[in-house]
């Protein structure tokens, strides 16, 4: 057993491990996983000390929640932190080979609902699907223009009105410990900050070795308002772990040429310092004082041990300086190991 350090979520009493388990692959993202393999994967992750797990109704249209709940139910003493999401209800839709990038999902399709009733129903549905009596963190899922385009304006209003009221009520009643947004764009988190008192944001793919625009205003605001950030998609969906040796994913599609050429430059520095690229990808975001946890998605049993290894690889300060000197990470990005970075926890 090899627990990661812990950091506090916002100003709540909840603490999470700095390394968590991203549950999107458990819903058969890109490729199917058998129930047996999912059980082995989750058993291996538990034995390896993973205690923060993230899932969502969206992941395999219920499949990830069912698999994760089945695995966590055995640990009656708890001792773990579980996040799931609201904003998508699941409606019966028949069997399909693929829906929304998930292979052989459950026979449901998604219906967006960010209203008070929709959020309350989504929370109750998740408890039933998980077969658990507690969810620790509830994220409002994929509100924002990236998902909803021009419909977002009206949906955002609903989410910040009824949706937020439902989340706030669940938190006040103690039925969840923390509330936030789970999204792939920081802009909507910044907008949401003007409408509510959020504990944390699960920001996927937008504060990574490849992308740091969140440094401009979003991350400083999180520090100022004591909101934590959980970094999803730390490999930008794959390219920062596969590297350029095979066709990696970037933002859930084939990595484009400009990304491949940046990653090639990073790989050259990784070779010079004998640092695995995914090790740098996992460790970099945690240097920011707003970041509480990184949650890579794991699809295979062997990923559990390699993830732990990457997370713990010692990386010399000179490596980070070389990335910065080559303009591969921004000059104002906090670097791991530097004084004042997030390493001492919050
Ligand atoms: N809007 C949201 O709230 C949102 C959005 C995105 C993500 N998230 C959360 O963040 C989590 C992580 O994001 P993600 O899964 O989308 O992307 P990611 O963590 O950037 O990349 C995950 C992929 O990297 C590969 N991988 C992971 N560990 C590996 C290892 N040790 N060795 C080799 N390959 C490895 C796997 O690809 P292969 O399957 O190809 O092997 C895996 O599917 C999600 O699972 C989810 O919990 C939330």
């Amino acid at each position: 057993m090899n627990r990661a350090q812990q950091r506090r979520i916002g100003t709540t009493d909840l603490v999470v491990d700095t390394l968590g388990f991203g549950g999107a692959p458990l819903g058969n993202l890109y490729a199917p996983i058998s129930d047996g393999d999912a059980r082995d994967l989750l058993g291996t992750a538990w034995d390896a000390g993973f205690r923060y797990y993230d899932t969502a109704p969206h992941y395999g249209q219920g499949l990830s929640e069912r698999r994760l709940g089945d695995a966590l139910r055995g640990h009656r003493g708890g001792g773990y932190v579980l996040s799931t999401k609201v904003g998508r209800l699941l409606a019966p839709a028949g069997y399909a080979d693929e829906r929304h990038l998930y292979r052989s999902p459950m026979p449901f399709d998604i219906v967006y609902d960010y209203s008070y009733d929709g959020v309350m129903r989504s929370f109750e549905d998740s408890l039933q699907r998980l077969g658990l009596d507690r969810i620790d963190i509830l994220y409002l899922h994929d509100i924002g223009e990236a998902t909803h385009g021009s419909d977002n304006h009206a949906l955002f209003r609903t989410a910040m009105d009824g949706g937020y009221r439902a989340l706030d009520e669940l938190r006040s009643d103690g039925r969840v410990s923390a509330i936030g947004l789970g999204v792939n764009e920081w802009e909507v988190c910044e907008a949401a900050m003007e409408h509510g008192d959020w504990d944390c944001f699960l920001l996927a793919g937008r504060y990574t070795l490849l992308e740091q625009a969140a440094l401009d205003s979003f991350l400083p605001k999180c520090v100022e308002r004591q909101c934590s950030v959980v970094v999803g998609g730390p490999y930008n969906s794959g390219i920062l772990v596969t590297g350029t040796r095979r066709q990696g994913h970037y933002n859930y599609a084939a990595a484009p040429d400009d990304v491949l050429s940046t990653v090639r430059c990073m790989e050259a520095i990784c070779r010079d310092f004998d640092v695995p690229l995914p090790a740098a990808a996992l460790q970099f975001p945690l240097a920011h004082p707003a970041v509480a946890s990184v949650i890579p998605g794991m699809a295979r049993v062997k990923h559990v041990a390699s993830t732990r290894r990457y997370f713990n690889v010692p990386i010399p300060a000179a490596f980070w300086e070389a990335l910065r000197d080559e303009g591969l990470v921004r000059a104002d990005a906090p670097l791991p190991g530097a004084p004042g970075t997030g390493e001492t926890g919050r």
Side-chain angles (χ1 to χ4, degrees), residues 48-131:
F50 281 85
R51 293 294 185 272
Y52 172 33
Y53 294 88
D54 176 66
T55 183
H58 180 44
Y59 304 157
Q61 285 89 73
L63 190 58
S64 171
E65 283 193 330
R66 287 185 69 103
R67 286 172 164 173
L68 185 56
D70 285 349
L72 293 179
R73 205 173 314 116
H75 305 290
R76 293 191 176 191
Y80 59 82
V81 173
L82 170 64
S83 55
T84 190
K85 312 195 181 81
V86 293
R88 285 180 174 96
L89 297 173
L90 300 183
Y95 291 93
D97 289 338
E98 183 178 336
R99 275 198 182 103
H100 315 291
L101 300 182
Y102 292 92
R103 303 285 306 280
S104 305
M106 303 277 291
F108 297 91
D109 205 352
I110 55 183
V111 178
Y112 291 106
D113 192 339
Y114 295 103
S115 67
Y116 176 92
D117 287 347
V119 166
M120 285 299 188
R121 174 165 166 205
S122 184
F123 171 69
E124 297 294 342
D125 285 356
S126 284
L127 287 174
Q128 302 295 328
R129 257 191 312 271
L130 287 157

Side-chain angles (χ1 to χ4, degrees), residues 21-25 29-30 54-55 59 85 141-142 182-184 202 204 232-238 241 246 249 252 295-300 302-303 306-307 310:
F21 185 103
L29 180 61
Y30 311 131
D54 176 66
T55 183
Y59 304 157
K85 312 195 181 81
H141 202 183
D142 287 341
V183 291
N184 298 39
L202 194 179
Y235 305 130
N236 278 109
S237 81
V241 64
R246 69 177 166 96
H249 285 110
Y252 309 94
I295 54 164
M298 275 167 270
R300 296 159 226 257
K302 66 180 183 185
H303 289 169
S306 53
T307 300
Y310 296 144

